[in-house]
Amino acid sequence: MAKRMRPGANWGAGITHLEVGTGVGDGTPSNPQAPSSAQTVLRSPLARKGITSWTYLDASGQATNNETNILQLTTTFLESEANGAIVEMGMFGGDASNTIGSGCMFNYKTVPVINKTSEYQLTFAWRLTF
């Protein structure tokens, strides 16, 4: 499954984009509403960007050239990108593009607020174990 979901797989697009948002739902910025299994989009999308890099990881969490069941997808938002109170994020693939809401959401996560400003870059490393 990790091989199938990696970006650029020759039999399909895999997971290609990370979308971040500001939607807290019924929660608060420090404790956003928990994800729902029925959720297919972010509550309040802020920005989307293609996966910057990806790698397989071995059982100890080290990068490896061998295919494993652990995939790490990384995206970096530059100083001018995704500025706001980030509390939700989703991984998208299929026919996803840089257009917010396109493609199929593969995974969704909420986090306590990350106040991203134009003062810095922010890198997300998302590990998926299959």
Side-chain angles (χ1 to χ4, degrees), residues 1 8 12 21 23 25-27 32 34 37 41 44-45 50 52 64 76 87 89 93-94 104 115 120 129:
M1 185 57 81
D26 292 335
S37 61
V41 297
S44 185
T52 306
T64 179
T76 298
V87 294
M89 59 190 80
C104 296
N115 288 304
Y120 61 93
T129 302

Side-chain angles (χ1 to χ4, degrees), residues 36-102:
S36 161
S37 61
Q39 197 162 345
T40 59
V41 297
L42 270 64
R43 292 182 179 104
S44 185
L46 174 65
R48 178 185 280 213
K49 190 166 185 179
I51 300 300
T52 306
S53 65
W54 67 272
T55 189
Y56 290 112
L57 301 176
D58 64 21
S60 64
Q62 300 301 307
T64 179
N65 290 329
N66 299 323
E67 293 176 356
T68 70
N69 67 320
I70 306 171
L71 183 64
Q72 181 168 288
L73 305 164
T74 304
T75 301
T76 298
F77 289 97
L78 303 177
E79 289 87 347
S80 63
E81 300 171 320
N83 292 318
I86 298 169
V87 294
E88 61 177 342
M89 59 190 80
M91 302 297 290
F92 288 81
D95 60 351
S97 69
N98 286 332
T99 302
I100 288 177
S102 64

Side-chain angles (χ1 to χ4, degrees), residues 105-122:
M105 187 165 70
F106 174 76
N107 205 340
Y108 176 85
K109 176 127 180 92
T110 59
V111 296
V113 67
I114 301 168
N115 288 304
K116 166 79 171 69
T117 71
S118 60
E119 304 270 324
Y120 61 93
Q121 297 180 7
L122 181 59

